[in-house]
Amino acid sequence: MYQFDQSLELFNRASKVIPGGIYGHVTPATVIPGASPYYASKAEGAYYWDADNNKYIDFMCGYGPTILGYNHPEIEEAAREQKLKGSVFNHPTDKMVELAEVLTERINFADWAVFAKNGSDLTTWAVQVARETTGNKGILKAKGSYHGVDAWCSPGKGGIIDEDLANVYHFEWNDLQNFEEEFQKNLQNLACVILTPYHHPVFQDNLLADSDFLPNIQKICNKHGVVFILDDVRAGFRLHENGSHEYFNFQPDISVYCKALGNGHAISAAVGRDHLKVPASKVFLTGSYWNDAVSMAAAIQCLKIVQRDKVPDIVEKLGSQLKAGLEKTALKHGFELKITGPVSMPYLRFKDEDNLYKIQEFCKICISKGAFFHPHHNWFLSAAHKEKEILDAIQIADFAFAKMKPNE
Ligand SMILES: Cc1ncc(COP(=O)(O)O)c(C=O)c1O
């Protein structure tokens, strides 16, 4: 059984000098205290080590970015080659032009691309492009969706004022009638509809849309000149090499990518249609590190490998194996699981409970045996996971289910 002494020691030190000790989505506030690592030290392939040198098969992939696995040789070679020349200059480099060319070639509706460092940078920027385009203020989004930390979409309450939310409207995911009602009600003020390719609200089952939901939203937005923004930050390039809209058969006006784009190198991108290019050029976008050529070199290489190796197929196959193995093993011990979302980004809970107690317990035991599962966030698979890692994880899950007693 793993110990977490160094993690706790670091957390004590951090609490004195960092608000909350650890903040954001990696906060330990949502896991069983002392039953999970709080700090990482190194990673390789499908594995990472925590501050206590405990080793894990990683089913979070840094919450998504490492789609090819940690320290991927071809990505790191491309990054190193650029690093020798430099990273942030007084100007962008040829890497930025090349990356924009790759994205606009790959993404069927895209005529231009811009870059930043985080998903939030560009979901907010895309909303501004929609406002610049339409002259309207309103944002229509799915209830419970996550689009980043800016005031219009932050899930937090601190520092948010009523005015931040004054032009934000909501619809129920996968309910076209409700969407149309909200759309029509707010049309006079509507700049954009923003949504993720599938619904992944926190602490809840993940939901794919019915096959006509997203194409219908596209149609309605097009008809009324409302900008349709796809937030593909979390799923982009894991479901489909050309973006999740191809996986789900629709076309937005702007897509935003981040997590898997640089395989761990900090970069985000937004791509869009030609008619938005002029308004896009009017919305100020910059940052101290936005034109960092190292992450752009990594992204070019990552996009190449995702396509060359058919990575979405690899992670889908691994995800199916993991899902089937966990479900079967759970049943053997009298537990029924509910696994939702795409299989390469599964969200797992115990079917008969909605208070997360059992999933917390399950993850605690798995973590203590070397499989890092998260109790209330969707997991991520990478191309570095092989059958061995899946089978080892299922064996660890078997041990965990055996230790837990059903219906208690
Ligand atoms: C769907 C979605 N949109 C936006 C964001 C924000 O991206 P970032 O945390 O890189 O700012 C995230 C991050 O998890 C996300 O999952």
Side-chain angles (χ1 to χ4, degrees), residues 64-75:
T66 45
I67 187 168
L68 304 176
Y70 294 103
N71 201 19
H72 188 278
E74 288 174 281
I75 299 291

Side-chain angles (χ1 to χ4, degrees), residues 111-264:
D111 298 303
W112 50 261
V114 297
F115 304 100
K117 283 288 166 199
N118 290 290
S120 292
D121 303 343
L122 290 178
T123 50
T124 293
W125 178 85
V127 166
Q128 289 177 302
V129 172
R131 287 175 167 166
E132 174 64 24
T133 305
T134 59
N136 289 340
K137 298 176 183 172
I139 304 165
L140 181 55
K141 66 196 260 296
K143 237 176 249 174
S145 62
Y146 182 64
H147 298 296
V149 295
D150 291 304
W152 64 273
C153 61
S154 171
K157 300 265 186 281
I160 306 297
I161 56 174
D162 291 347
E163 287 83 344
D164 292 326
L165 306 174
N167 295 290
V168 182
Y169 317 117
H170 293 94
F171 64 92
E172 294 290 345
W173 177 259
N174 212 16
D175 182 340
L176 194 59
Q177 193 183 337
N178 178 253
F179 174 82
E180 290 193 49
E181 281 163 15
E182 291 301 322
F183 189 94
Q184 288 302 335
K185 197 163 76 190
N186 299 295
L187 182 56
Q188 291 310 311
N189 186 37
L190 216 50
C192 64
V193 170
I194 181 167
L195 45 71
T196 50
Y198 73 98
H199 197 41
H200 42 68
V202 284
F203 304 117
Q204 288 173 47
D205 293 344
N206 290 189
L207 300 169
L208 305 194
D210 293 339
S211 61
D212 61 343
F213 184 65
L214 297 165
N216 268 319
I217 289 181
Q218 176 191 340
K219 232 181 271 167
I220 295 165
C221 286
N222 288 353
K223 183 171 166 202
H224 294 278
V226 170
V227 178
F228 181 16
I229 302 168
L230 175 65
D231 174 353
D232 210 3
V233 167
R234 189 176 304 188
F237 310 119
R238 213 175 226 95
L239 301 183
H240 194 288
E241 67 192 40
N242 300 338
S244 305
H245 64 286
E246 283 215 39
Y247 188 82
F248 291 113
N249 282 317
F250 69 101
Q251 283 195 357
D253 297 313
I254 296 179
S255 269
V256 180
Y257 305 100
C258 187
K259 289 183 184 287
L261 180 57
N263 198 54

